[in-house]
Amino acid sequence: MADLKQKYNQTIKKKLQEKFQYSNVMAIPKIEKIVINRGLGEVVTNNKALNTTIEQFIAITGQKPILRKSKDAISNFKIREGQIIGCKVTLRSKRMYDFLSKLINIILPKIRDFRGVPTKSFDGRGNYTLGIKEDSIFPEIQGDIDKLRGFDISFVTSTNTSDEEAFELLSLFGMPFRKNQTKED
């Protein structure tokens, strides 16, 4: 796996500078962090899901996830105040680049019938969120999987002006976006 930080500093910054004509070198966008998040609504009925998720996140990212607790009680969903309803991992620096490299070069091509990631998942502020439906595509998750669970991967960039800059940044890193995306996708 190529060192993506080195690639960013040597080639990607120059290409972004040429395309968008930044007046300041510090204005060139970069990926600040990658946040991996999973909602755990099923913990209400299946307590094993929490332990499984923690183990999977540690295996995938190399760091322990932060558990998220509910702020309010919601009786319709059988959720009590303070109950664990999700977990997340925030990757920065070396772990972020290692995860991004693994995602682009190993994980995404492994998905069956993969045609690229959708281009419509930008939030208007230069951040991109990718939904993964099956956690089993990661080679670190082995053994008996009781249920396929998905999670979201959010790429937080330093640009807050347009999605075009973030799209170009992620494309230069090698993110395989879909070509000729139709409205049905």
Side-chain angles (χ1 to χ4, degrees):
M1 289 183 223
D3 186 18
L4 290 181
K5 185 174 185 177
Q6 187 176 7
K7 179 180 178 183
Y8 172 76
N9 288 324
Q10 292 177 353
T11 59
I12 294 175
K13 280 173 101 172
K14 291 175 187 170
K15 289 181 181 178
L16 289 171
Q17 175 71 32
E18 290 171 11
K19 182 168 183 172
F20 295 106
Q21 299 296 314
Y22 296 108
S23 59
N24 185 349
V25 178
M26 298 303 288
I28 299 173
K30 63 183 177 212
I31 299 177
E32 292 182 336
K33 62 185 173 181
I34 296 176
V35 180
I36 302 166
N37 178 44
R38 175 183 286 166
L40 291 172
E42 69 177 297
V43 170
V44 175
T45 57
N46 179 8
N47 200 21
K48 184 181 175 191
L50 176 63
N51 295 331
T52 303
T53 296
I54 291 171
E55 290 171 8
Q56 288 177 347
F57 275 30
I58 290 171
I60 291 170
T61 64
Q63 72 187 54
K64 189 175 178 183
I66 296 171
L67 301 178
R68 309 298 295 174
K69 296 182 178 181
S70 67
K71 295 177 183 172
D72 299 319
I74 305 171
S75 62
N76 289 346
F77 297 111
K78 299 179 184 172
I79 295 176
R80 297 179 309 277
E81 184 177 347
Q83 184 176 3
I84 296 171
I85 56 169
C87 68
K88 72 174 187 171
V89 173
T90 302
L91 301 173
R92 298 178 194 269
S93 186
K94 181 175 176 5
R95 285 191 178 159
M96 175 187 72
Y97 286 113
D98 290 345
F99 179 82
L100 181 61
S101 179
K102 178 174 67 170
L103 181 72
I104 292 171
N105 297 317
I106 298 171
I107 305 305
L108 292 177
K110 187 178 173 182
I111 298 174
R112 187 182 321 162
D113 298 332
F114 182 69
R115 297 184 316 252
V117 296
T119 57
K120 298 178 181 178
S121 299
F122 287 93
D123 68 353
R125 295 189 192 114
N127 303 317
Y128 181 74
T129 301
L130 173 65
I132 301 291
K133 294 180 182 175
E134 297 181 11
D135 50 12
S136 62
I137 61 172
F138 285 86
E140 296 90 354
I141 297 178
Q142 298 172 352
D144 46 318
I145 300 171
D146 59 336
K147 179 180 175 185
L148 292 177
R149 294 178 182 89
F151 51 85
D152 295 324
I153 303 171
S154 297
F155 301 89
V156 180
T157 65
S158 63
T159 180
N160 55 8
T161 55
S162 76
D163 291 338
E164 181 185 356
E165 294 173 24
F167 175 80
E168 188 67 26
L169 173 67
L170 291 174
S171 295
L172 290 171
F173 270 113
M175 184 68 75
F177 288 105
R178 284 187 191 148
K179 309 256 188 293
N180 303 328
Q181 191 166 2
T182 62
K183 292 191 181 214
E184 295 89 45
D185 288 342

